[in-house]
Amino acid sequence: MSYLEERLQALNITPAMNEIRTETADGHQATYRYFTDDENGNIIIHYFDVRGNIEYYNKGRKLEEFTRTRHNPATNPKNKYSQAYGSATHVFCPPGIISKYREANGREETERPKVKNLYITEGEFKAFALDNNGMLCFGLGGINSFMNGKRTKLNDDITDFIKLCGVENVFLLYDADCFKCKWEDGKDLRIRAASFASSVKGLAEALKSYNVNVYMCHVHEKFTDTYKGIDDLLYSGEDTQKILNELQRYSEGTDIKSGVSDREYIKTYLISGQSVYYVNSIFAIENAQSFYNKHSRELINKDWVFGRTVYYADENGKVYERKDENIKNPSDYIMVGDDFFRFDYKPRGENYVLEPVKVKKSTITVDMTDKEAKNFISKIKKYDTFTYEPDNTDTYKEAILYEHKETGIKTRAFNEYEKLQVKPQAGEFSHIEKFLHHIFDYPNTRGESLFNFALDYLTLLYTRPKQKLPIICLVSKEQATGKSTFLFLLEAVFASNMQIITSADLESEFNSLWAGRFIVAIDEGEIPTDRKDVASKIKYITTSPTINKNAKGRDAYPATNHTHLIMCSNEETNFAKLTKDDNRYCIIKVGTLEGERQSKYIDLMRPEIPAFLYYLKTRPLFYEEKERTYFDFDVYKTDQLNRVVIANENPISVAIKDILFKQFMLQKTDRIEITTDILLQQVKPLLSNKASIDIKRVNAFFSDLEIKPTNTSREGVFVKEIQGNIINETIRGRRWIIPSEKVLTEEELKVLNDTIFESKQPKVEQTNLFKEEETTDNEFLY
């Protein structure tokens, strides 16, 4: 029996219950399932909104179905759930929720069925189990996932349901272990409890304007080690009807405010109208003494951390702060100008990155005497400013000293470039090599593979990090190509020195997230480079020695810029608006990554990084330095760039260029003349109904090419080809004189030059090499 079959059977979910009839993206009715499995035995959980429609999320400019994966514990015991990167937040709507919403939708308010109790719980299977037992329940992917993606308001599915169905009471239902305290040396025990309290307060605050009563309830603590989830409890053999009755008891019992005491299965607390302090008291986080009183069994005879402070309790249960464990270290802080910063490790995917976080002086010196504070501050390292100097060698410096050549004034700067933790070491890197071949075995316009270019690019990135380099663009409409995996590989090497952003981050006026980073990668987005402000940012990122760093609430300041830009997109031609003069872009169309799945491939490559860095450090460069971005453009110019240029070119410009190219070929010359009137006559038939041309557009076309009109008394010629006949038309007066190199591509110029060359060659008269002999009819017979 598969893992999926086991879970469905345990919850009495029949095949019919697992199905939902809904409308597809193209408007057709189809049957879908809530739970399916993949080839690895994991459960794929499909999401539908309250109307029963499939939930989607934006992946670049493409809509993808939103799903979550419940990993099979037999094959992946470390990870329970996962979802696609950037797929935002959705709520799980079981059949009962959808059915009730559909029943109410479209009816007058007086005719709609009213819902007295609505439940919200963490976990799709828990929500489905309650639904099977007649309790309307939304499922959450996390305890705070009832908010929308931007965490500004409640999820629309929840609010729409509450308003349409006239919900009276909302219950936030937790597992039996919501109060569990698991001691670990150095672990801050307040964090978990505070996150639950924050979730309760957040829901109550978000529901204030909806005229509902808010409750928190949880499975009784005695089931923590047995049936901690409501789904486990409902199908445990316990009294199911009593469990359901207790879930709906919100006005009976001995003391609803503090949790009724006569319950066997479910405890409930009224939250509406209560203070923040009351919610904190439920989780015993209002102070260290309360927390110890609730969890004394786990904490007795131990030192424990609560709110970043170490405590212990005496034999009478009185809690004291252990002062000697809370001594701060000056090396944990830096002072830049007049501001203080503390170093904190922040999660970044599977990695943790060390970043300075601004703190107040009073926060550092709290509980210190004036003398202690003065002595402590004096030992903190002090800098005049921040800088960003990438260095991947053993000479890396955290403090950079600058000296002004004329005045001799010295500036001590803190280097925000993080020293790389991965050390080069000789070895094999077959998976990395195979992966790079997959990405970069793509031809340039000369027919050469870009693999050696890629190795040189990565070598320069590692050994000469201040060298300006081309913009790498990986594009493909296919799935599972390895574009994002390439970014993850770089992130595994350069850690916090790399930032993956979206196009929205690029457009924002606040750029402190990415400005000045060593690598800025724009993943799965359309880059609106036709907008002047965005195009300007792209140019600054890749060419300017400095960039203005602008954080919300702070003044902008110039930062050293050694940024290298990488773009990944599902749009093959429309991801950016480029022209033929944009020679900073190396655009590669990537195929599907065969063999290992992407999620596994990065795990195979990660151990090989030290060997790969050693190879980059010791290999000679394949190409010689030619341009500002090191490489000659021909090295990384691809046909895909031409496709992007053509796809984004104005249809009017394309039509004009077609007419002009034809004139160059008919006149067999590299310089032609044409009037605006003739050009309008010729171009209009080539345009679609959506495009129109007038004198202003013609003027704008030639103005962009820096071609000016001229008046001349000399007559000119315009050549027409009508049904195979060449007709010369005389033109007079004001006209455009156009050199071929201004409008033709390299390929078109080559064709034109060959035509001109052939037209100038002397013609050789054809003579019959065989002498004709007169024959007679008789000779023919023989």
Side-chain angles (χ1 to χ4, degrees):
M1 184 181 294
S2 69
Y3 178 49
L4 172 63
E5 291 169 337
E6 289 177 4
R7 290 302 303 269
L8 296 183
Q9 188 179 82
L11 298 176
N12 290 342
I13 300 175
T14 65
M17 293 177 183
N18 191 28
E19 291 181 348
I20 178 173
R21 190 74 175 168
T22 188
E23 192 173 275
T24 61
D26 56 5
H28 292 89
Q29 289 289 321
T31 300
Y32 285 83
R33 286 181 290 170
Y34 278 95
F35 306 105
T36 60
D37 53 6
D38 62 16
E39 67 276 7
N40 296 312
N42 303 312
I43 299 174
I44 307 301
I45 305 170
H46 301 267
Y47 273 56
F48 307 89
D49 64 18
V50 290
R51 296 161 184 80
N53 299 321
I54 298 170
E55 288 279 22
Y56 293 95
Y57 69 96
N58 289 318
K59 189 174 183 181
R61 294 183 63 188
K62 185 179 179 182
L63 286 179
E64 289 283 340
E65 182 191 356
F66 174 79
T67 61
R68 290 215 320 145
T69 300
R70 174 55 169 104
H71 294 285
N72 189 339
T75 57
N76 191 352
K78 293 183 179 180
N79 300 312
K80 291 189 70 175
Y81 289 90
S82 66
Q83 65 187 65
Y85 174 78
S87 55
T89 303
H90 300 271
V91 296
F92 182 78
C93 304
I97 290 282
I98 295 171
S99 176
K100 187 63 69 174
Y101 187 90
R102 286 174 170 174
E103 184 182 352
N105 195 22
R107 293 189 179 187
E108 295 294 332
E109 186 173 356
T110 55
E111 298 177 355
R112 295 173 192 161
K114 301 297 181 182
V115 172
K116 192 169 188 179
N117 301 327
L118 174 66
Y119 297 83
I120 301 175
T121 192
E122 183 183 9
E124 298 88 351
F125 284 107
K126 296 183 181 74
F128 216 97
L130 281 172
D131 187 83
N132 280 352
N133 286 275
M135 314 287 281
L136 297 174
C137 182
F138 284 102
L140 306 177
I143 61 173
N144 291 299
S145 297
F146 47 74
M147 302 299 285
N148 66 359
K150 296 182 179 179
R151 299 188 62 77
T152 56
K153 63 176 183 176
L154 268 175
N155 182 282
D156 289 340
D157 283 336
I158 297 177
T159 57
D160 288 351
F161 187 88
I162 289 173
K163 288 186 289 186
L164 186 68
C165 299
V167 174
E168 293 182 21
N169 306 295
V170 177
F171 295 80
L172 187 57
L173 173 61
Y174 290 133
D175 291 349
D177 64 351
C178 63
F179 297 134
K180 188 173 183 179
C181 171
K182 185 179 180 181
W183 178 89
E184 291 180 18
D185 189 18
K187 178 183 178 181
D188 193 335
L189 301 179
R190 189 181 188 277
I191 292 176
R192 183 176 185 271
S195 67
F196 278 96
S198 176
S199 179
V200 174
K201 290 180 281 190
L203 181 63
E205 181 66 27
L207 284 171
K208 270 187 177 180
S209 61
Y210 291 92
N211 194 31
V212 297
N213 299 310
V214 181
Y215 301 87
M216 171 205 148
C217 53
H218 63 86
V219 176
H220 201 291
E221 298 102 313
K222 66 183 180 181
F223 295 109
T224 295
D225 297 320
T226 52
Y227 313 121
K228 69 173 185 175
I230 189 65
D231 52 342
D232 301 323
L233 184 61
L234 286 169
Y235 297 99
S236 63
E238 296 284 339
D239 189 338
T240 302
Q241 191 56 52
K242 191 168 186 179
I243 295 169
L244 297 175
N245 289 341
E246 289 192 7
L247 273 170
Q248 298 175 84
R249 279 177 55 193
Y250 49 85
S251 58
E252 304 95 8
T254 57
D255 186 3
I256 188 69
K257 183 174 178 180
S258 59
V260 295
S261 59
D262 63 341
R263 308 245 182 157
E264 293 183 42
Y265 299 106
I266 306 294
K267 285 190 175 182
T268 301
Y269 304 80
L270 174 63
I271 303 301
S272 294
Q274 308 302 326
S275 67
V276 170
Y277 183 86
Y278 167 68
V279 177
N280 288 344
S281 70
I282 296 175
F283 293 91
I285 60 170
E286 65 271 46
N287 55 59
Q289 185 66 62
S290 295
F291 193 80
Y292 180 80
N293 293 344
K294 188 174 183 68
H295 302 290
S296 57
R297 286 186 179 181
E298 293 81 12
L299 303 180
I300 192 169
N301 297 326
K302 292 186 179 78
D303 284 5
W304 42 279
V305 181
F306 181 84
R308 300 182 68 177
T309 301
V310 180
Y311 293 93
Y312 69 98
D314 63 15
E315 63 275 11
N316 298 315
K318 176 70 174 176
V319 171
Y320 297 91
E321 181 181 334
R322 195 174 290 285
K323 294 283 187 179
D324 57 335
E325 295 295 331
N326 298 306
I327 298 175
K328 298 182 179 73
N329 192 330
S331 63
D332 294 335
Y333 302 87
I334 60 173
M335 183 177 180
V336 182
D338 296 327
D339 297 323
F340 291 89
F341 296 84
R342 182 186 65 242
F343 290 103
D344 281 355
Y345 276 101
K346 294 185 176 181
R348 174 84 64 75
E350 296 185 6
N351 304 315
Y352 280 85
V353 296
L354 191 63
E355 293 185 0
V357 177
K358 190 176 180 179
V359 294
K360 295 179 179 179
K361 181 180 178 181
S362 58
T363 303
I364 302 174
T365 59
V366 66
D367 297 331
M368 293 183 186
T369 64
D370 290 344
K371 185 177 181 180
E372 289 172 338
K374 185 177 181 180
N375 182 53
F376 188 89
I377 295 297
S378 69
K379 295 178 181 178
I380 293 177
K381 293 179 181 179
K382 298 171 179 62
Y383 302 89
D384 301 305
T385 186
F386 285 104
T387 190
Y388 203 88
E389 296 287 351
D391 185 353
N392 301 321
T393 69
D394 295 334
T395 61
Y396 168 87
K397 293 179 181 178
E398 184 181 270
I400 307 292
L401 190 64
Y402 298 101
E403 184 175 353
H404 194 275
K405 292 181 179 179
E406 296 179 2
T407 63
I409 296 176
K410 295 180 179 179
T411 300
R412 192 167 186 261
F414 175 78
N415 189 5
E416 289 190 277
Y417 186 85
E418 182 185 2
K419 185 177 181 180
L420 300 192
Q421 301 302 311
V422 184
K423 301 297 182 184
Q425 185 176 355
E428 298 294 326
F429 51 92
S430 58
H431 290 98
I432 293 179
E433 182 178 15
K434 179 182 177 181
F435 178 73
L436 292 179
H437 270 295
H438 162 70
I439 297 289
F440 293 101
D441 270 346
Y442 187 80
N444 59 21
T445 53
R446 302 190 304 207
E448 302 166 346
S449 168
L450 290 175
F451 182 71
N452 286 319
F453 159 77
L455 291 179
D456 277 6
Y457 176 93
L458 294 170
T459 299
L460 293 166
L461 205 62
Y462 181 60
T463 62
R464 290 168 54 177
K466 296 180 183 180
Q467 170 67 53
K468 296 293 182 184
L469 293 170
I471 302 172
I472 299 290
C473 305
L474 305 181
V475 300
S476 179
K477 62 184 178 182
E478 304 294 334
Q479 298 297 313
T481 59
K483 301 190 302 293
S484 296
T485 304
F486 179 66
L487 302 186
F488 299 152
L489 174 62
L490 293 179
E491 190 177 42
V493 176
F494 295 102
S496 62
N497 302 311
M498 177 177 177
Q499 182 66 51
I500 300 175
I501 65 173
T502 65
S503 55
D505 296 319
L506 186 68
E507 295 179 68
S508 172
E509 62 177 305
F510 302 113
N511 63 2
S512 58
L513 175 68
W514 56 265
R517 297 273 187 174
F518 181 57
I519 300 175
V520 174
I522 308 171
D523 192 16
E524 303 295 0
E526 178 185 1
I527 317 302
T529 51
D530 53 332
R531 279 179 40 186
K532 289 185 177 180
D533 58 334
V534 177
S536 177
K537 286 180 182 179
I538 295 286
K539 183 176 180 181
Y540 279 136
I541 290 172
T542 55
T543 61
S544 177
T546 61
I547 189 168
N548 286 330
K549 199 167 185 176
N550 189 11
K552 195 170 185 178
R554 295 177 59 186
D555 293 333
Y557 62 94
T560 312
N561 179 43
H562 296 294
T563 297
H564 304 280
L565 189 64
I566 300 173
M567 299 181 186
C568 293
S569 178
N570 289 332
E571 293 290 338
E572 294 181 1
T573 56
N574 295 323
F575 76 96
K577 303 293 188 292
L578 304 180
T579 69
K580 65 177 183 178
D581 296 323
D582 285 315
N583 59 2
R584 298 189 302 275
Y585 294 83
C586 172
I587 306 180
I588 300 170
K589 182 177 177 180
V590 187
T592 302
L593 180 62
E594 302 294 340
E596 295 285 353
R597 292 186 296 118
Q598 292 187 72
S599 57
K600 287 186 176 181
Y601 216 94
I602 186 63
D603 293 334
L604 294 172
M605 293 192 291
R606 203 181 298 274
E608 298 178 348
I609 290 174
F612 184 61
L613 293 183
Y614 181 84
Y615 170 72
L616 295 181
K617 186 178 180 180
T618 55
R619 71 177 287 272
L621 290 166
F622 186 85
Y623 293 101
E624 295 181 1
E625 185 171 0
K626 294 288 186 180
E627 302 291 342
R628 186 181 182 187
T629 54
Y630 187 86
F631 301 95
D632 186 273
F633 182 40
D634 284 344
V635 169
Y636 58 88
K637 182 181 179 183
T638 66
D639 288 334
Q640 191 63 34
L641 171 62
N642 295 332
R643 295 187 188 102
V644 173
V645 171
I646 293 170
N648 290 285
E649 196 166 11
N650 187 305
I652 293 174
S653 298
V654 173
I656 292 176
K657 288 179 180 179
D658 286 345
I659 294 297
L660 297 180
F661 177 59
K662 188 173 182 180
Q663 277 305 296
F664 282 116
M665 295 296 290
L666 288 172
Q667 296 187 34
K668 297 179 177 59
T669 179
D670 59 3
R671 189 180 182 87
I672 62 172
E673 301 176 10
I674 196 168
T675 65
T676 299
D677 288 342
I678 290 177
L679 195 56
L680 288 172
Q681 295 170 14
Q682 296 295 314
V683 171
K684 283 180 180 179
L686 301 180
L687 297 177
S688 65
N689 294 331
K690 294 181 180 180
S692 61
I693 185 170
D694 53 25
I695 294 174
K696 288 183 179 180
R697 293 181 183 270
V698 172
N699 291 342
F701 173 82
F702 287 115
S703 178
D704 289 342
L705 298 176
E706 297 180 349
I707 298 175
K708 296 180 179 180
T710 180
N711 287 311
T712 177
S713 58
R714 178 173 53 82
E715 293 182 347
V717 175
F718 178 77
V719 181
K720 293 182 179 179
E721 186 177 20
I722 302 176
Q723 295 181 351
N725 297 318
I726 303 299
I727 300 174
N728 294 334
E729 181 177 314
T730 301
I731 56 176
R732 298 181 180 86
R734 185 179 174 86
R735 70 195 75 164
W736 306 95
I737 301 175
I738 309 156
S740 59
E741 65 272 11
K742 286 279 190 178
V743 293
L744 303 188
T745 64
E746 291 181 12
E747 292 76 9
E748 289 171 339
L749 282 172
K750 185 177 184 305
V751 172
L752 175 62
N753 290 333
D754 290 344
T755 302
I756 294 173
F757 177 79
E758 290 176 4
S759 69
K760 292 180 179 179
Q761 300 306 307
K763 293 185 177 180
V764 179
E765 292 187 9
Q766 296 292 328
T767 58
N768 196 334
L769 301 180
F770 297 95
K771 186 178 180 180
E772 294 185 6
E773 296 183 0
E774 293 184 4
T775 60
T776 64
D777 291 341
N778 291 336
E779 287 176 329
F780 261 111
L781 295 174
Y782 292 95

